[in-house]
Amino acid sequence: MNTAPEISTTIMAAGLTTNLHDIGSDRGHGTVLLLHGSGPGVSAYANWRLTMPALEKDFRVIAPDLVGFGYSDVDPARFTLAGWTSHALGVLDALGIERAHVIGNSFGGSIALSLAIHHPDRVRRLGLMGAVGLDFPITPGLDTVWGYEPSVEAMTDLLRI
């Protein structure tokens, strides 16, 4: 029996083994799909653990580990906006969810935007937190975070930022 809170339900979504949190119930308000940000060690649980209990009082809450993150499959061929969007859509399909409120944090915001643009019939409302979606110059600090390769030196540099 698993006791790690990061690991919850495993489903197949868009052909990928996907770890997700599925809590609460619709209660007439619908389903909320939470899309996490990126960075070393990111997972749905790490990003949304304090948000999920508040939302589950009124909504069914779905928080997947997107492809390449947390405890979901790693498939570098899908590390594109289209690949992550397809995975998010696959989560909805696998769970039989026709429409959801979608909330995206940072990297997850770009996926939420992509989902809303390419599949507007699947998105009831859209909430974005620090979402990326436009071209912008990457700062040295952001480049360090996104290019993180695990090592003591790299973590030391990251903490200095």
Side-chain angles (χ1 to χ4, degrees), residues 69-151:
F69 293 93
Y71 295 90
S72 290
D73 277 349
V74 174
D75 182 358
R78 300 207 195 181
F79 293 175
T80 64
L81 183 57
W84 283 302
T85 302
S86 172
H87 187 219
L89 186 63
V91 168
L92 294 176
D93 290 344
L95 297 173
I97 299 167
E98 288 300 315
R99 293 183 78 204
H101 306 289
V102 181
I103 300 175
N105 176 35
S106 187
F107 159 81
S110 66
I111 298 163
L113 280 169
S114 177
L115 190 62
I117 289 166
H118 297 290
H119 304 279
D121 56 316
R122 304 298 295 273
V123 178
R124 289 181 72 180
R125 289 189 175 94
L126 186 62
L128 305 173
M129 301 168 26
V132 294
L134 302 173
D135 288 333
F136 62 93
I138 296 178
T139 65
L142 188 54
D143 190 43
T144 299
V145 170
W146 284 356
Y148 179 79
E149 295 283 336
S151 72

Side-chain angles (χ1 to χ4, degrees), residues 21-51:
H21 302 270
D22 183 349
I23 62 173
S25 62
D26 183 325
R27 293 183 178 89
H29 299 288
T31 297
V32 176
L33 175 66
L34 299 173
L35 301 174
H36 60 74
S38 66
V42 142
S43 68
Y45 182 80
N47 203 147
W48 301 112
R49 70 187 178 284
L50 301 177
T51 305

Side-chain angles (χ1 to χ4, degrees), residues 50-68:
L50 301 177
T51 305
M52 291 187 295
L55 288 175
E56 79 169 311
K57 294 174 185 171
D58 294 308
F59 300 91
R60 179 180 181 190
V61 179
I62 308 297
D65 287 345
L66 294 168
V67 58

